[in-house]
Amino acid sequence: MKMLFIFFVFLLLSCGQGNNRVEKEQKAKDSVNANLVEPSENLNEDEWEAPAEVQEKNPLEISILNLYKSMEDKDEQEFLRQFPKDFEQFQDYFDWDTPNDAPHELYEHSVHYMEYLFYLLRTNKYPDYEKNIISICENGQWEPDAVNYFQHHVVNHIKESEKYYLIDELDDTRAKSVLFFLFDGPHPKLDAEFVSHLNASKKQILEDLFETAFFDDNENPDPFPDDQTNSTYTLSDYVKNEHFFIRDVDINNDGVLDKIVSSERYQGDELLLFLNDGEEFEFTLKTINFSEDGGNQIVDVIAEQGGFFIKTAFPDRGLNEAYHHIIFKDNGWILTNSIYRTQSSNQKDAFIHVCDVTQGLNMADTHFFEKLKGMPDEVEKDTVCTKEIL
């Protein structure tokens, strides 16, 4: 009987412990359920379930700092997204701050930004962006340095890529504004090749601009002449002319000093050769001094063994120079090669790219400038150029 009583007591204790365990487990479950947060009714199911690491990043704010970072990282798409979309913003980034007589933030490096921009456009990977460069042109007007450089590159890009439709598809009001910017400058010059590819209405707009907005009695008496006549040039026209300078150089290797006449900086790209025949200086060739609207400008014409070279440089801070070497051969003046020198950056580890480009072009050739090979692009520089440590 005593053993039966002990067994009964043990059974009661076991049941009590079991009930206590069940009660504790239920309380734990209730506690967890009470602390669960239900999904918001305004949050869609995909956003609720997506882990944080696959959430799409918010686009970067448009800022000069983010443009700088995208340039440093060579993030092509972000660079194009950050690049200015209108003329005013372009000036605020790259131009000279005239009221404060100080450079804007990217003024000193504007050349590198322009080169990278048009390098990307030449890849043909971003055709949609080409409309943005047209938007920058709208309401623009010529200024030296960055604006001038951008203007030059836009004209060249349209011509080289034959993208004249970018102008033709504009309405007349926008087209007038864009064409004004593309041809504006201290001495506006008509580009016959550019004009020939425009449709009739855009040709008329450009003609009206040259006859009104660009017209100058002294500089452009007839911007659209009906007949082309051969001009006669005399050395006396350029002596004591503030728009030109004259250098004494033996240009045909006969031991006698001849005359080279060149436009001054920002006064055009004319280069004229006059041979000394013993009695007078006879005009023999009119060509270019390699000055570019928006690009390098003439620095000097310098004699060297067997000929002469023309030095140009970008009129901005930083290093961007060209040396065009010319010799007299087979009764003609041949551009043998061009040496381009440009500084990689302003950082402590900066260096100078030195690119010797073979040309072999007769300077009397009508299409001479179109065949001229320029500075290798950013990708080619590392393979075809040497590096000079500063």
Side-chain angles (χ1 to χ4, degrees), residues 188 190 207 210-211 214-229:
L190 180 68
E207 181 172 351
F210 269 88
E211 291 178 347
F214 295 150
F215 184 74
D216 184 309
D217 287 334
N218 297 318
E219 300 293 339
N220 297 299
D222 190 2
F224 288 83
D226 295 327
D227 299 309
Q228 298 292 332
T229 58

Side-chain angles (χ1 to χ4, degrees), residues 118-132:
F118 286 93
Y119 158 70
L120 293 180
L121 295 184
R122 286 195 300 273
T123 66
N124 293 319
K125 293 192 294 183
Y126 307 101
D128 291 342
Y129 187 83
E130 290 175 320
K131 293 185 178 180
N132 286 357

